[in-house]
Amino acid sequence: MRTMIVAGNWKMNKTFQEAEDLTAEITKGVEKLGAPNVEVILCPPAPFLEMVLDLTDETYVAVGAQNVSEFDFGAYTGEISAPMLRSMEVEYCIVGHSERRKYFQESNDLLARKVKSVLRAGVIPIFCCGELLPEREAGNHVKVVKNQLEESLFDLEEKDFRNVVIAYEPVWAIGTGMTASPEQAQEMHASIRELITLQYGERVAQDATILYGGSCNPGNAMELFSQPDVDGGLIGGASLKADEFVEIVKIAINCT
Ligand code: PEP
């Protein structure tokens, strides 16, 4: 079923103590709201996962990882696998963030393998897709995202695809303050839903959760989340400030 989600991607930020304080503040704020009908997810750096899991236990806040290995177990020094995440009760994992694509050369093929590993383990992938600025300027944005979905997701069986959350994140909007307009976001989200319809049928497409990410903040969340095909957000910078993140959750609740 389509769920409104607000997920915070902390990236490689915060010390342990700062992360503890941020988790406590966000959890307190979200608990006050009650977060009905909205799934709130925190994606801290991997070394802090256990602490965030402990602090959010039996609250409305769920926990996700930011990255995962394509392998389940073995001699892959420094890697963290999906079965490991699952064994800690991590529920979500971001896959294919544009920073992973850019700085770690993650290809659509590799991401397809990561998505499969995550699903096999029973963790929900938050699969990121999105175009670069020159690709948008050339009018190729839909084509680029179509290719990312086709190469990384569309060979999944329907039952597995149903467990994937998609995050549309135009790369030019990430961390830049250049948010996509509500119209630009809606156009792409509708296109993604249409592509899902062609691949898996109308019902699966209508149930799919598609998040927007890219400089989303309390000032623009309402107009973005009010778009018919936008089901919440993946939040970077604004998720590092408890009051801003909780405000975005509040806005999402008002949009359900
Ligand atoms: C992100 O990193 O996924 C993101 C959307 O970042 P920001 O909100 O800072 O643009």
Side-chain angles (χ1 to χ4, degrees), residues 9 11 97 99 169 173-176 213-216 234-238:
N9 173 17
K11 313 192 187 192
H97 191 281
E99 288 149 16
E169 300 206 302
I174 297 180
T176 59
S215 299
C216 184
L234 180 54
I235 318 296

Short mmCIF file of all heavy atoms in Angstrom, two decimals, residues 9 11 97 99 169 173-176 213-216 234-238, ligand 1:
data_model
loop_
_atom_site.label_atom_id
_atom_site.label_comp_id
_atom_site.label_asym_id
_atom_site.label_seq_id
_atom_site.Cartn_x
_atom_site.Cartn_y
_atom_site.Cartn_z
N ASN A 9 18.34 11.43 5.74
CA ASN A 9 19.65 10.88 5.37
C ASN A 9 20.72 11.77 5.97
O ASN A 9 20.96 12.87 5.48
CB ASN A 9 19.76 10.83 3.84
CG ASN A 9 21.15 10.44 3.38
OD1 ASN A 9 21.94 9.90 4.15
ND2 ASN A 9 21.44 10.69 2.12
N LYS A 11 23.83 11.30 6.01
CA LYS A 11 25.12 11.19 5.29
C LYS A 11 26.26 10.99 6.29
O LYS A 11 26.05 10.39 7.33
CB LYS A 11 25.34 12.43 4.41
CG LYS A 11 24.11 12.78 3.59
CD LYS A 11 24.39 13.79 2.53
CE LYS A 11 23.08 14.21 1.90
NZ LYS A 11 23.28 14.97 0.67
N HIS A 97 22.13 6.19 -3.82
CA HIS A 97 22.15 7.65 -3.67
C HIS A 97 23.13 8.24 -4.69
O HIS A 97 24.16 7.63 -4.99
CB HIS A 97 22.57 8.01 -2.24
CG HIS A 97 22.37 9.45 -1.93
ND1 HIS A 97 23.26 10.42 -2.34
CD2 HIS A 97 21.37 10.10 -1.28
CE1 HIS A 97 22.81 11.60 -1.95
NE2 HIS A 97 21.66 11.44 -1.31
N GLU A 99 25.33 10.38 -4.45
CA GLU A 99 26.72 10.50 -3.97
C GLU A 99 27.45 9.17 -4.10
O GLU A 99 28.67 9.15 -4.33
CB GLU A 99 26.72 11.03 -2.53
CG GLU A 99 26.32 12.50 -2.49
CD GLU A 99 25.58 12.93 -1.23
OE1 GLU A 99 25.61 12.21 -0.23
OE2 GLU A 99 24.95 14.01 -1.28
N GLU A 169 15.43 11.92 -6.87
CA GLU A 169 16.30 12.98 -6.37
C GLU A 169 17.08 13.60 -7.53
O GLU A 169 18.14 13.07 -7.92
CB GLU A 169 17.29 12.43 -5.35
CG GLU A 169 16.65 11.79 -4.14
CD GLU A 169 17.57 11.84 -2.93
OE1 GLU A 169 18.68 11.31 -3.01
OE2 GLU A 169 17.18 12.45 -1.94
N ALA A 173 19.55 19.20 -7.44
CA ALA A 173 18.81 19.77 -6.31
C ALA A 173 19.37 19.31 -4.97
O ALA A 173 19.00 19.85 -3.93
CB ALA A 173 17.34 19.38 -6.41
N ILE A 174 20.27 18.32 -4.99
CA ILE A 174 20.75 17.75 -3.73
C ILE A 174 21.81 18.65 -3.09
O ILE A 174 22.87 18.89 -3.67
CB ILE A 174 21.31 16.32 -3.95
CG1 ILE A 174 20.18 15.41 -4.43
CG2 ILE A 174 21.93 15.78 -2.67
CD1 ILE A 174 20.61 13.99 -4.69
N GLY A 175 21.47 19.14 -1.92
CA GLY A 175 22.42 19.96 -1.15
C GLY A 175 22.73 21.30 -1.77
O GLY A 175 23.69 21.97 -1.37
N THR A 176 21.96 21.72 -2.74
CA THR A 176 22.28 22.96 -3.46
C THR A 176 21.34 24.12 -3.12
O THR A 176 21.62 25.26 -3.46
CB THR A 176 22.16 22.74 -4.99
OG1 THR A 176 20.79 22.32 -5.26
CG2 THR A 176 23.11 21.67 -5.48
N GLY A 213 13.40 14.00 -3.19
CA GLY A 213 14.56 14.45 -2.42
C GLY A 213 15.34 15.49 -3.19
O GLY A 213 15.51 15.39 -4.42
N GLY A 214 15.84 16.49 -2.46
CA GLY A 214 16.64 17.55 -3.10
C GLY A 214 16.26 18.89 -2.51
O GLY A 214 15.28 19.49 -2.95
N SER A 215 17.03 19.32 -1.47
CA SER A 215 16.80 20.63 -0.83
C SER A 215 15.36 20.80 -0.34
O SER A 215 14.81 21.90 -0.42
CB SER A 215 17.22 21.76 -1.77
OG SER A 215 18.59 21.66 -2.08
N CYS A 216 14.78 19.74 0.13
CA CYS A 216 13.44 19.83 0.72
C CYS A 216 13.59 20.36 2.14
O CYS A 216 14.48 19.94 2.88
CB CYS A 216 12.81 18.43 0.71
SG CYS A 216 11.11 18.42 1.30
N LEU A 234 12.80 12.34 0.95
CA LEU A 234 14.09 11.91 1.48
C LEU A 234 14.85 13.21 1.75
O LEU A 234 15.11 13.99 0.82
CB LEU A 234 14.82 11.02 0.48
CG LEU A 234 16.21 10.49 0.89
CD1 LEU A 234 16.17 9.77 2.22
CD2 LEU A 234 16.75 9.53 -0.18
N ILE A 235 15.17 13.43 3.02
CA ILE A 235 15.65 14.74 3.45
C ILE A 235 17.11 14.64 3.86
O ILE A 235 17.45 13.83 4.74
CB ILE A 235 14.82 15.25 4.67
CG1 ILE A 235 13.30 14.96 4.49
CG2 ILE A 235 15.10 16.71 4.95
CD1 ILE A 235 12.64 15.66 3.35
N GLY A 236 17.96 15.47 3.29
CA GLY A 236 19.37 15.48 3.66
C GLY A 236 19.63 16.56 4.71
O GLY A 236 19.41 16.35 5.90
N GLY A 237 20.07 17.73 4.26
CA GLY A 237 20.46 18.82 5.16
C GLY A 237 19.47 19.12 6.28
O GLY A 237 19.85 19.24 7.45
N ALA A 238 18.20 19.20 5.94
CA ALA A 238 17.19 19.57 6.95
C ALA A 238 16.95 18.44 7.96
O ALA A 238 16.31 18.68 8.98
CB ALA A 238 15.88 19.97 6.26
C1 PEP B 1 19.83 13.67 0.01
O1 PEP B 1 21.01 13.64 0.28
O2 PEP B 1 19.19 12.64 -0.23
C2 PEP B 1 19.18 14.98 -0.05
C3 PEP B 1 17.98 15.07 -0.53
O3 PEP B 1 19.92 16.03 0.43
P1 PEP B 1 19.41 17.55 0.62
O4 PEP B 1 18.05 17.48 1.29
O5 PEP B 1 20.43 18.18 1.52
O6 PEP B 1 19.35 18.16 -0.71
#
